[in-house]
Amino acid sequence: MADYKAPLRDMRFVLNEVFEVAKLWAELPALADTVDAETVEAILEEAGKVTSKSIAPLSRAADEEGCHWADGAVTTPAGFPQAYQTYAEGGWVGVGGDPAYGGMGMPKAVSAQVEEMVNSASLSFGLYPMLTAGACLSINAHASEELKAAYLPNMYAGVWAGSMCLTEPHAGTDLGIIRTKAEPQADGSYKVSGTKIFITGGEHDLTENIIHLVLAKLPDAPAGPKGISLFLVPKFMVNADGSLGARNPANCGSIEHKMGIQASATCVMNFDEAVGYIVGEPNKGLAAMFTMMNYERLGVGIQGLATGERSYQNAIEYARDRLQSRSPTGAQNKDKVADPIIVHPDVRRMLLTMKASNEGGRAFSTYVAMQLDTAKFSEDPTTRKRAEDLVALLTPVAKAFLTDLGLETTVHGQQIFGGHGYIREWGQEQLVRDVRITQIYEGTNGIQALDLVGRKIVGSGGG
């Protein structure tokens, strides 16, 4: 596998020349004094260094080693805890987080580029900070000031991680039929009981605490999705002084053995009257969860783009080095036994298709990120409403289209390697296996199509 190099030149081109993002930031008072081109340049440079030097070299071996479960504890592959500490110490977990609680406060247009880099370096690794950032979005938007002050600083700092606990064995897309229960207690807390599956980062050894956001139903909840509430359930209880207390009965029963993302712990989580705290209003849990969904679904689309970029970098290096046959137009390397395969039309077609998909995908994801920034930070109601409508329309497109392209691109990259692309040591087949999940989680691509047509087009009357 070729050494990963962050595509900083391509990112700068999209940000500065295609979209001139500095103009947008200058128009948004909340960003005007905190974000400028020089700051963003420094952020991208440093993100490129940490992802290429600390994370990318772990990817191949981590896929072979995978995660290990024993007596409820999960061990991540060698090097992951140290790399995560390096990543966290750089502030990257909280790159888009609220500065009031220790986040870096960067707009989504910037954090989207960081997400691409970390997921190109290792999709498995990138899932851990991604889930933490998603949990932080919901906490920051809906939790009480007490909960935000108690949990967000350590989550942004990467000292604690986050997970999102939605799916149950019988309830995937149809969350309205979940069975996890939350019983109210006299002190205002809740006791949460139930089983969740497919929980990314539900248990691991990267941080000292894990903060689970759990969908559950109150005893008097109405049936269906209108009866779902959201609860914050820590792995370890947090004392009044911020120190960690007793272990909460939120345990990992096993981890899944998967096609790809082997270094990402996908957990079965059992909550046995675990202490939790409500986030937002009772029976409004789905709304609180969907606060982060637009960001997360764009993030999954970026995972497709990121994996395609890694595959392209591997493929073009291989195509320049691999000597096979002569060019149809005559020998190009007359002093060697054959020409590099990059001279052959079919290989060039695949490489150019990959490059076009990656560059177009980066522009598209950045555009959607800019709409998220406008919707969040604009003080003009009309401008904000237009951005919100664009985000609603384009989010399912970005998630499904970019992940479909991601699979197509990684298959092209594998094909360029020929037989070597099918062999594990070269890394191309890993990328095909890894990217496949992006078409499935955070709502399958078929569900994205239903959302687009049923809700965003027909449901809105085309407005």
Side-chain angles (χ1 to χ4, degrees):
M1 185 180 286
D3 292 338
Y4 172 66
K5 298 178 179 64
L8 297 179
R9 182 176 179 274
D10 293 339
M11 291 176 174
R12 293 187 195 104
F13 174 73
V14 168
L15 289 171
N16 300 328
E17 298 184 49
V18 176
F19 293 122
E20 298 180 309
V21 288
K23 292 183 179 179
L24 171 65
W25 298 335
E27 294 170 357
L28 302 174
L31 297 176
D33 295 331
T34 58
V35 186
D36 55 59
E38 291 75 18
T39 300
V40 171
E41 175 66 21
I43 288 172
L44 296 182
E45 285 282 349
E46 288 304 312
K49 291 177 184 176
V50 72
T51 53
S52 62
K53 295 180 180 179
S54 298
I55 301 170
L58 302 174
S59 180
R60 187 70 213 98
D63 178 69
E64 293 291 340
E65 181 183 351
C67 293
H68 300 280
W69 178 94
D71 298 325
V74 174
T75 304
T76 56
F80 262 43
Q82 295 81 5
Y84 196 86
Q85 184 176 357
T86 299
Y87 191 79
E89 288 174 351
W92 302 111
V93 179
V95 65
D98 188 342
Y101 300 98
M104 203 180 294
M106 288 297 106
K108 185 63 179 179
V110 175
S111 65
Q113 315 308 315
V114 177
E115 288 175 37
E116 181 191 331
M117 288 186 250
V118 69
N119 286 303
S120 282
S122 169
L123 180 52
S124 289
F125 184 96
L127 283 165
Y128 295 105
M130 177 183 179
L131 268 294
T132 301
C136 288
L137 280 169
S138 290
I139 293 170
N140 195 38
H142 298 283
S144 66
E145 290 300 323
E146 181 182 6
L147 286 178
K148 287 192 282 188
Y151 289 93
L152 285 177
N154 278 327
M155 294 178 75
Y156 286 145
V159 177
W160 299 347
S163 83
M164 312 295 288
C165 301
L166 289 71
T167 304
E168 298 183 7
H170 68 288
T173 299
D174 189 0
L175 291 170
I177 60 173
I178 63 171
R179 296 172 184 156
T180 300
K181 298 295 184 183
E183 296 284 346
Q185 303 299 300
D187 63 358
S189 68
Y190 296 79
K191 287 191 174 180
V192 178
S193 299
T195 296
K196 300 288 185 176
I197 64 170
F198 303 156
I199 307 307
T200 301
E203 175 63 30
H204 54 73
D205 58 357
L206 303 181
T207 59
E208 64 184 34
N209 203 5
I210 302 173
I211 312 306
H212 307 288
L213 289 190
V214 184
L215 290 181
K217 290 194 171 185
L218 295 167
D220 58 350
K226 293 183 179 180
I228 297 174
S229 300
L230 182 63
F231 299 88
L232 185 156
V233 182
K235 174 181 175 180
F236 287 98
M237 300 305 297
V238 178
N239 297 321
D241 63 358
S243 63
L244 296 184
R247 176 69 189 260
N248 210 4
N251 299 297
C252 177
S254 64
I255 58 174
E256 305 293 350
H257 303 282
K258 312 182 296 291
M259 173 182 175
I261 55 169
Q262 306 289 0
S264 172
T266 306
C267 304
V268 175
M269 296 300 300
N270 299 314
F271 299 90
D272 300 305
E273 294 191 343
V275 177
Y277 308 95
I278 197 163
V279 175
E281 298 178 24
N283 305 322
K284 302 292 185 182
L286 275 186
M289 189 66 76
F290 270 91
T291 295
M292 50 72 66
M293 201 61 77
N294 283 335
Y295 285 82
E296 294 293 276
R297 286 179 171 171
L298 174 60
V300 173
I302 292 170
Q303 290 177 348
L305 159 65
T307 313
E309 172 65 29
R310 186 74 185 273
S311 184
Y312 174 75
Q313 292 190 18
N314 294 339
I316 196 166
E317 179 178 287
Y318 183 84
R320 287 168 174 160
D321 292 341
R322 176 71 167 171
L323 302 180
Q324 291 287 289
S325 305
R326 290 298 186 185
S327 168
T329 59
Q332 303 297 306
N333 285 348
K334 295 182 179 179
D335 58 334
K336 296 185 178 180
V337 297
D339 290 329
I341 63 172
I342 198 171
V343 304
H344 299 300
D346 191 50
V347 173
R348 297 176 73 84
R349 173 189 64 81
M350 289 187 284
L351 285 169
L352 287 169
T353 299
M354 296 173 78
K355 186 173 178 61
S357 296
N358 292 340
E359 293 192 6
R362 186 174 296 113
F364 181 36
S365 61
T366 301
Y367 177 78
V368 178
M370 291 172 62
Q371 303 311 311
L372 282 166
D373 291 334
T374 302
K376 181 177 181 180
F377 295 112
S378 177
E379 296 182 355
D380 177 62
T382 302
T383 301
R384 189 168 59 248
K385 177 64 165 58
R386 181 179 183 276
E388 289 171 350
D389 290 345
L390 275 172
V391 166
L393 178 69
L394 294 178
T395 294
V397 179
K399 193 277 182 184
F401 180 60
L402 292 179
T403 57
D404 283 350
L405 274 186
L407 180 62
E408 179 182 323
T409 301
T410 57
V411 169
H412 280 319
Q414 184 184 40
Q415 191 74 18
I416 288 167
F417 275 65
H420 293 295
Y422 202 68
I423 305 301
R424 284 159 67 153
E425 68 179 276
W426 291 86
Q428 290 296 73
E429 64 84 36
Q430 176 191 339
L431 298 174
V432 176
R433 287 186 288 107
D434 283 352
V435 78
R436 183 66 181 90
I437 187 59
T438 64
Q439 298 173 300
I440 298 172
Y441 59 18
E442 289 292 342
T444 67
N445 287 1
I447 292 297
Q448 303 306 312
L450 289 173
D451 179 40
L452 174 67
V453 175
R455 292 186 183 138
K456 308 303 170 53
I457 297 176
V458 176
S460 69

